[in-house]
PDB file of all heavy atoms in Angstrom:
ATOM      1  N   THR B  20       1.838  25.564  -5.591  1.00  0.00           N
ATOM      2  CA  THR B  20       1.511  26.581  -4.587  1.00  0.00           C
ATOM      3  C   THR B  20       0.447  26.064  -3.617  1.00  0.00           C
ATOM      4  O   THR B  20       0.196  26.672  -2.583  1.00  0.00           O
ATOM      5  CB  THR B  20       0.975  27.861  -5.256  1.00  0.00           C
ATOM      6  OG1 THR B  20      -0.296  27.560  -5.853  1.00  0.00           O
ATOM      7  CG2 THR B  20       1.928  28.345  -6.342  1.00  0.00           C
ATOM      8  N   SER B  21      -0.175  24.936  -3.961  1.00  0.00           N
ATOM      9  CA  SER B  21      -1.235  24.397  -3.123  1.00  0.00           C
ATOM     10  C   SER B  21      -0.650  23.715  -1.892  1.00  0.00           C
ATOM     11  O   SER B  21       0.435  23.137  -1.951  1.00  0.00           O
ATOM     12  CB  SER B  21      -2.054  23.391  -3.934  1.00  0.00           C
ATOM     13  OG  SER B  21      -2.792  22.553  -3.078  1.00  0.00           O
ATOM     14  N   PRO B  22      -1.373  23.803  -0.765  1.00  0.00           N
ATOM     15  CA  PRO B  22      -0.910  23.078   0.430  1.00  0.00           C
ATOM     16  C   PRO B  22      -1.171  21.577   0.341  1.00  0.00           C
ATOM     17  O   PRO B  22      -0.671  20.819   1.160  1.00  0.00           O
ATOM     18  CB  PRO B  22      -1.729  23.712   1.556  1.00  0.00           C
ATOM     19  CG  PRO B  22      -2.963  24.199   0.888  1.00  0.00           C
ATOM     20  CD  PRO B  22      -2.562  24.595  -0.507  1.00  0.00           C
ATOM     21  N   VAL B  23      -1.949  21.160  -0.626  1.00  0.00           N
ATOM     22  CA  VAL B  23      -2.212  19.727  -0.799  1.00  0.00           C
ATOM     23  C   VAL B  23      -0.933  19.059  -1.305  1.00  0.00           C
ATOM     24  O   VAL B  23      -0.337  19.522  -2.284  1.00  0.00           O
ATOM     25  CB  VAL B  23      -3.358  19.499  -1.812  1.00  0.00           C
ATOM     26  CG1 VAL B  23      -3.589  18.027  -2.027  1.00  0.00           C
ATOM     27  CG2 VAL B  23      -4.623  20.191  -1.345  1.00  0.00           C
ATOM     28  N   PRO B  24      -0.506  17.979  -0.641  1.00  0.00           N
ATOM     29  CA  PRO B  24       0.742  17.311  -1.046  1.00  0.00           C
ATOM     30  C   PRO B  24       0.723  16.904  -2.520  1.00  0.00           C
ATOM     31  O   PRO B  24      -0.328  16.536  -3.052  1.00  0.00           O
ATOM     32  CB  PRO B  24       0.793  16.072  -0.148  1.00  0.00           C
ATOM     33  CG  PRO B  24       0.000  16.441   1.040  1.00  0.00           C
ATOM     34  CD  PRO B  24      -1.072  17.368   0.550  1.00  0.00           C
ATOM     35  N   LEU B  25       1.873  16.990  -3.139  1.00  0.00           N
ATOM     36  CA  LEU B  25       1.972  16.660  -4.562  1.00  0.00           C
ATOM     37  C   LEU B  25       1.477  15.248  -4.849  1.00  0.00           C
ATOM     38  O   LEU B  25       0.719  15.026  -5.794  1.00  0.00           O
ATOM     39  CB  LEU B  25       3.425  16.798  -5.033  1.00  0.00           C
ATOM     40  CG  LEU B  25       4.005  18.212  -5.060  1.00  0.00           C
ATOM     41  CD1 LEU B  25       5.436  18.172  -5.573  1.00  0.00           C
ATOM     42  CD2 LEU B  25       3.160  19.107  -5.931  1.00  0.00           C
ATOM     43  N   TYR B  26       1.910  14.288  -4.027  1.00  0.00           N
ATOM     44  CA  TYR B  26       1.536  12.899  -4.310  1.00  0.00           C
ATOM     45  C   TYR B  26       0.017  12.743  -4.270  1.00  0.00           C
ATOM     46  O   TYR B  26      -0.562  11.980  -5.038  1.00  0.00           O
ATOM     47  CB  TYR B  26       2.203  11.952  -3.303  1.00  0.00           C
ATOM     48  CG  TYR B  26       1.530  11.882  -1.964  1.00  0.00           C
ATOM     49  CD1 TYR B  26       0.518  10.976  -1.720  1.00  0.00           C
ATOM     50  CD2 TYR B  26       1.893  12.739  -0.915  1.00  0.00           C
ATOM     51  CE1 TYR B  26      -0.107  10.902  -0.495  1.00  0.00           C
ATOM     52  CE2 TYR B  26       1.271  12.678   0.301  1.00  0.00           C
ATOM     53  CZ  TYR B  26       0.269  11.757   0.514  1.00  0.00           C
ATOM     54  OH  TYR B  26      -0.351  11.699   1.720  1.00  0.00           O
ATOM     55  N   PHE B  27      -0.618  13.527  -3.411  1.00  0.00           N
ATOM     56  CA  PHE B  27      -2.067  13.415  -3.284  1.00  0.00           C
ATOM     57  C   PHE B  27      -2.775  14.068  -4.472  1.00  0.00           C
ATOM     58  O   PHE B  27      -3.797  13.573  -4.945  1.00  0.00           O
ATOM     59  CB  PHE B  27      -2.524  14.042  -1.972  1.00  0.00           C
ATOM     60  CG  PHE B  27      -3.906  13.646  -1.575  1.00  0.00           C
ATOM     61  CD1 PHE B  27      -4.160  12.382  -1.052  1.00  0.00           C
ATOM     62  CD2 PHE B  27      -4.977  14.517  -1.753  1.00  0.00           C
ATOM     63  CE1 PHE B  27      -5.435  11.997  -0.695  1.00  0.00           C
ATOM     64  CE2 PHE B  27      -6.265  14.136  -1.406  1.00  0.00           C
ATOM     65  CZ  PHE B  27      -6.496  12.885  -0.876  1.00  0.00           C
ATOM     66  N   GLN B  28      -2.210  15.154  -4.950  1.00  0.00           N
ATOM     67  CA  GLN B  28      -2.762  15.784  -6.148  1.00  0.00           C
ATOM     68  C   GLN B  28      -2.721  14.812  -7.325  1.00  0.00           C
ATOM     69  O   GLN B  28      -3.702  14.658  -8.059  1.00  0.00           O
ATOM     70  CB  GLN B  28      -1.967  17.045  -6.515  1.00  0.00           C
ATOM     71  CG  GLN B  28      -2.130  18.195  -5.543  1.00  0.00           C
ATOM     72  CD  GLN B  28      -1.402  19.437  -6.040  1.00  0.00           C
ATOM     73  OE1 GLN B  28      -1.434  19.750  -7.231  1.00  0.00           O
ATOM     74  NE2 GLN B  28      -0.758  20.143  -5.123  1.00  0.00           N
ATOM     75  N   VAL B  29      -1.584  14.182  -7.494  1.00  0.00           N
ATOM     76  CA  VAL B  29      -1.435  13.230  -8.598  1.00  0.00           C
ATOM     77  C   VAL B  29      -2.420  12.074  -8.424  1.00  0.00           C
ATOM     78  O   VAL B  29      -3.128  11.693  -9.361  1.00  0.00           O
ATOM     79  CB  VAL B  29       0.011  12.703  -8.674  1.00  0.00           C
ATOM     80  CG1 VAL B  29       0.136  11.656  -9.776  1.00  0.00           C
ATOM     81  CG2 VAL B  29       0.983  13.855  -8.923  1.00  0.00           C
ATOM     82  N   ALA B  30      -2.489  11.537  -7.211  1.00  0.00           N
ATOM     83  CA  ALA B  30      -3.368  10.398  -6.955  1.00  0.00           C
ATOM     84  C   ALA B  30      -4.822  10.760  -7.232  1.00  0.00           C
ATOM     85  O   ALA B  30      -5.545  10.016  -7.898  1.00  0.00           O
ATOM     86  CB  ALA B  30      -3.202   9.920  -5.511  1.00  0.00           C
ATOM     87  N   THR B  31      -5.249  11.904  -6.740  1.00  0.00           N
ATOM     88  CA  THR B  31      -6.638  12.321  -6.910  1.00  0.00           C
ATOM     89  C   THR B  31      -6.989  12.465  -8.385  1.00  0.00           C
ATOM     90  O   THR B  31      -8.053  12.015  -8.833  1.00  0.00           O
ATOM     91  CB  THR B  31      -6.873  13.658  -6.192  1.00  0.00           C
ATOM     92  OG1 THR B  31      -6.465  13.530  -4.831  1.00  0.00           O
ATOM     93  CG2 THR B  31      -8.334  14.047  -6.246  1.00  0.00           C
ATOM     94  N   GLN B  32      -6.077  13.063  -9.139  1.00  0.00           N
ATOM     95  CA  GLN B  32      -6.373  13.268 -10.550  1.00  0.00           C
ATOM     96  C   GLN B  32      -6.377  11.955 -11.318  1.00  0.00           C
ATOM     97  O   GLN B  32      -7.209  11.754 -12.212  1.00  0.00           O
ATOM     98  CB  GLN B  32      -5.365  14.255 -11.142  1.00  0.00           C
ATOM     99  CG  GLN B  32      -5.563  15.650 -10.580  1.00  0.00           C
ATOM    100  CD  GLN B  32      -4.575  16.643 -11.167  1.00  0.00           C
ATOM    101  OE1 GLN B  32      -4.537  16.856 -12.368  1.00  0.00           O
ATOM    102  NE2 GLN B  32      -3.771  17.227 -10.309  1.00  0.00           N
TER     103      GLN B  32
END
Side-chain angles (χ1 to χ4, degrees):
Chain B
T20 67
S21 161
V23 178
L25 292 181
Y26 79 89
F27 196 75
Q28 291 185 41
V29 177
T31 306
Q32 292 180 60

